[in-house]
Amino acid sequence: MTDSPRLQPRVGDLSEGELLDRIFPRLAGLGDPILGPGDDAAVIAAPDGRVVVSTDTQTEGQDFRLLWPNGYRSSGADVGWKAAAQNLSDINAMGAVATGMVVSLTLPPQTEAVWVDDLADGLVEAIRALGAPGCTVAGGDLGRGSELSVTVTVLGSLEGRPPVLRSGARPGDTVAIAGRLGTAAAGLSLLEHGPRYGDLGPALREAVRFHCRPWPPLAAGPAAAKAGASALMDLSDGLLKDGDRLGRASGVVLDLDEPSLRARAALLSEPAGVLGADPLAWVLGGGEDHGLLAAFPPASQLPRGFAAIGSVVPAAGGPGGVAVAGRPAQPSGWDHFAR
Amino acid sequence: MTDSPRLQPRVGDLSEGELLDRIFPRLAGLGDPILGPGDDAAVIAAPDGRVVVSTDTQTEGQDFRLLWPNGYRSSGADVGWKAAAQNLSDINAMGAVATGMVVSLTLPPQTEAVWVDDLADGLVEAIRALGAPGCTVAGGDLGRGSELSVTVTVLGSLEGRPPVLRSGARPGDTVAIAGRLGTAAAGLSLLEHGPRYGDLGPALREAVRFHCRPWPPLAAGPAAAKAGASALMDLSDGLLKDGDRLGRASGVVLDLDEPSLRARAALLSEPAGVLGADPLAWVLGGGEDHGLLAAFPPASQLPRGFAAIGSVVPAAGGPGGVAVAGRPAQPSGWDHFAR
């Protein structure tokens, strides 16, 4: 602490202990770790003798901006929410349920301490709102750097089931998705190129908010596993790119129905109109929706939250990939729509 | 890939997939994950139904330099080794055995791709050399940023034992340590203020190397747990500061023997002489040795690797802390020796 603290202290004014004393109380009340923060490591239950683990870093300027061209200002809670949501989505995509996370923050000294409080609140809000009540925030690490970054590592339980991999899709399976397609990309375009945030109507604000606070359908992953999904993955880099990955991993082609894709695009007509953009490009190439792409065996009843968007066909000697209405699609063809 | 790749490609020339294709083969052959890298998440065994977890970020300019004032150049392997070692030490400090790690790398585009290969090799070297053969590198994340940083999250197994906490030391216990005291600080002083690295003799080089590649005694943590240690923690911020934490967590005072501390200081007489430094300050205040500080009940036989350095006495109405030869020590008094 400096001799004359400002009313709004900055990270550089506080010791690591003082910062942790602000943060830890905000993380209480989630889940029930065997041992929570404060020792050299935390201990979390892994009831079926296995633990699912995934890690992901968000860096300012690369993965998010604090101030966007349209005037929207990402709050600490937005950044915390998104960091939690992205990682929870990876656990969801294995058909698993999150049990805990640890968080490593790198903070420039001029960061306001309340922004960090807010980030902790955003993590907790996401865990509660998205439906991961068994997920505790069990510990973390604070460090300084010139660039703000947040690394979340999340653990999960398969609850006795096998993990649902990308490699299990078979010809004849139904291709289905849970969650949004293209909304996060529409939101990103509005943040980068749209009218000022304050002037946006509710539907456009909602797209912006969805980009900043994605909403992975956390009930859908375990439901897909229970329903016998043959393959499952997180939709983070766009439907064609992720579909290509799943198709190659399985050695099959995911043949997507054009009408379902166009119906999805129609949902984005308002932001597309404002920006003069092609909403189908968002549906096919937009990332960060954090929905699920799944394949289900032919006779399956799709679990709640999933909608069919195509079918799995043989790779016909190729490495597998993705097609739209029977025509092979080039995921790289949509790269100019990517960030 | 650019149209005219350089002979030594940089991170900015490669896609994430191309980088991962270089890295993953280097990580093979460690441990035996249930599911390794390549899907949305990895799956690691947690045989006793619990998992120990810790996370830590190293940031260039804060936690390491690529080029030090004495001319030493940190290799990617140094940075990978240290990132692995620090995290393995946290698992060790719970009395646990590492089972897996995930790694998130943030890389400036101008980073040479071979430097990243080297970092992966350093992770593997540390895991092998330090003695964590059951620890797999199960996955990770690659992103770009303006500042190089490495976040490792490590998982471990308690093998059916309770975790050994900081809070269990009781009056009458023996205070013991495993590993070095002050060597990493001596190495850091040489890096920052010493003669050119190329001019150093073997003992001084060894101190520099120990700072860059710390050597946590990974057999000692589980051995302490098996021997009934009442408290255990990683020595990362200096003996007095970490001793104060353990003392406060346990509500006792760790009373350290002056002769044992002076004997440790005597081992650092050569770097101290070169730098005109007080080696006792390194022993008491120097961080990053990643040894273990432990308390053992009175009748215990200390396990291999531990040496007694004091005894636990009552806190006498205070919050607990650390003392030297019966005189309360102020951990903050050594702060001017810290970085």
Side-chain angles (χ1 to χ4, degrees):
Chain A
M1 192 77 86
T2 58
D3 289 335
S4 33
R6 278 162 282 201
L7 278 176
Q8 288 295 346
R10 291 172 191 268
V11 163
D13 299 326
L14 302 173
S15 70
E16 183 176 356
E18 287 169 325
L19 268 172
L20 291 174
D21 285 346
R22 296 174 69 117
I23 295 172
F24 282 158
R26 295 171 181 273
L27 305 176
L30 285 171
D32 187 20
I34 297 171
L35 179 69
D39 215 292
D40 292 285
V43 184
I44 291 177
D48 75 359
R50 298 169 299 170
V51 62
V52 184
V53 58
S54 178
T55 192
D56 194 73
T57 299
Q58 304 266 302
T59 302
E60 179 188 349
Q62 297 289 326
D63 301 293
F64 63 91
R65 296 181 195 260
L66 293 181
L67 178 62
W68 295 85
N70 79 336
Y72 183 83
R73 199 173 284 276
S74 290
S75 67
D78 286 347
V79 174
W81 176 298
K82 189 164 181 171
Q86 286 194 162
N87 279 278
L88 290 169
S89 184
D90 283 322
I91 298 297
N92 196 35
M94 304 303 282
V97 169
T99 50
M101 55 176 69
V102 290
V103 182
S104 190
L105 290 179
T106 300
L107 301 168
Q110 69 274 19
T111 311
E112 288 193 358
V114 293
W115 196 92
V116 183
D117 298 345
D118 206 25
L119 186 143
D121 290 344
L123 288 168
V124 172
E125 280 176 52
I127 289 170
R128 290 224 163 95
L130 297 173
C135 181
T136 187
V137 182
D141 179 46
L142 283 177
R144 299 197 182 156
S146 60
E147 196 166 68
L148 205 158
S149 80
V150 188
T151 302
V152 171
T153 304
V154 63
L155 307 182
S157 167
L158 289 160
E159 301 185 320
R161 297 180 296 270
V164 188
L165 307 185
R166 299 178 177 184
S167 52
R170 295 292 170 260
D173 286 357
T174 300
V175 177
I177 60 154
R180 305 284 193 94
L181 278 180
T183 307
L188 179 63
S189 291
L190 287 165
L191 284 161
E192 295 280 12
H193 311 295
R196 289 197 64 78
Y197 181 72
D199 299 336
L200 299 179
L204 299 184
R205 284 190 182 217
E206 201 271 340
V208 167
R209 298 296 293 160
F210 190 82
H211 176 83
C212 296
R213 295 190 171 214
W215 202 281
L218 295 191
K226 288 175 198 164
S230 53
L232 194 60
M233 82 181 279
D234 168 45
L235 280 165
S236 55
D237 290 336
L239 179 61
L240 289 190
K241 198 170 271 187
D242 289 328
D244 186 66
R245 288 178 182 144
L246 194 151
R248 287 171 182 264
S250 296
V252 299
V253 170
L254 308 193
D255 188 18
L256 307 178
D257 300 331
E258 200 168 325
S260 346
L261 299 173
R262 294 205 177 276
R264 294 281 176 158
L267 300 174
L268 301 171
S269 55
E270 190 177 344
V274 166
L275 293 159
D278 175 3
L280 192 60
W282 288 332
V283 166
L284 294 172
E288 302 192 279
D289 285 314
H290 298 294
L292 292 174
L293 176 62
F296 290 94
S300 310
Q301 169 118 22
L302 296 190
R304 191 188 170 90
F306 281 93
I309 58 158
S311 56
V312 178
V313 300
V322 67
V324 176
R327 296 184 304 277
Q330 293 304 323
S332 58
W334 297 97
D335 257 7
H336 57 291
F337 295 105
R339 268 185 293 173
Chain B
M1 194 74 89
T2 58
D3 288 337
S4 31
R6 278 163 281 205
L7 278 177
Q8 288 295 346
R10 292 172 190 266
V11 163
D13 300 327
L14 303 173
S15 71
E16 183 177 353
E18 287 169 322
L19 268 172
L20 291 174
D21 285 348
R22 296 174 69 116
I23 296 174
F24 282 156
R26 294 171 182 272
L27 304 177
L30 285 171
D32 187 19
I34 296 171
L35 179 68
D39 216 291
D40 292 284
V43 185
I44 291 177
D48 74 0
R50 298 169 298 169
V51 61
V52 184
V53 58
S54 179
T55 191
D56 194 74
T57 299
Q58 304 266 302
T59 302
E60 180 189 348
Q62 296 290 326
D63 301 295
F64 64 92
R65 297 179 194 260
L66 294 180
L67 179 60
W68 295 85
N70 79 336
Y72 183 82
R73 200 173 283 276
S74 291
S75 67
D78 286 346
V79 174
W81 176 297
K82 189 164 181 172
Q86 286 196 161
N87 279 278
L88 291 169
S89 184
D90 283 322
I91 297 298
N92 195 35
M94 304 303 283
V97 169
T99 51
M101 54 176 70
V102 291
V103 182
S104 190
L105 289 180
T106 300
L107 301 167
Q110 70 274 18
T111 311
E112 288 194 357
V114 292
W115 196 92
V116 184
D117 298 345
D118 207 23
L119 186 143
D121 291 343
L123 287 169
V124 172
E125 279 175 53
I127 289 169
R128 290 223 163 96
L130 298 174
C135 181
T136 185
V137 182
D141 180 45
L142 282 176
R144 300 202 180 153
S146 60
E147 194 167 69
L148 204 158
S149 79
V150 188
T151 302
V152 171
T153 304
V154 62
L155 306 183
S157 168
L158 289 161
E159 300 185 322
R161 297 180 296 270
V164 188
L165 307 185
R166 298 176 178 185
S167 52
R170 294 292 169 260
D173 286 358
T174 300
V175 177
I177 61 156
R180 305 284 193 96
L181 278 181
T183 307
L188 178 62
S189 291
L190 287 164
L191 284 160
E192 295 280 11
H193 312 294
R196 290 197 63 78
Y197 181 71
D199 300 335
L200 299 179
L204 300 183
R205 285 191 182 215
E206 201 270 340
V208 167
R209 299 295 294 159
F210 189 83
H211 177 84
C212 296
R213 296 191 170 213
W215 201 282
L218 296 190
K226 287 175 198 162
S230 52
L232 195 60
M233 81 179 279
D234 168 45
L235 279 166
S236 55
D237 290 336
L239 179 61
L240 289 190
K241 198 171 271 187
D242 289 329
D244 186 65
R245 288 178 182 144
L246 195 151
R248 286 171 182 265
S250 296
V252 299
V253 170
L254 307 192
D255 188 18
L256 308 178
D257 301 331
E258 200 170 324
S260 343
L261 299 174
R262 293 207 177 276
R264 295 282 176 156
L267 299 175
L268 300 172
S269 56
E270 189 177 345
V274 166
L275 292 159
D278 175 4
L280 192 60
W282 288 332
V283 166
L284 294 172
E288 303 191 278
D289 285 314
H290 297 297
L292 291 174
L293 175 63
F296 290 94
S300 310
Q301 170 117 25
L302 296 190
R304 193 188 167 91
F306 281 93
I309 58 156
S311 56
V312 178
V313 299
V322 66
V324 177
R327 294 184 305 276
Q330 293 303 323
S332 57
W334 299 95
D335 257 5
H336 57 290
F337 296 105
R339 270 187 290 175

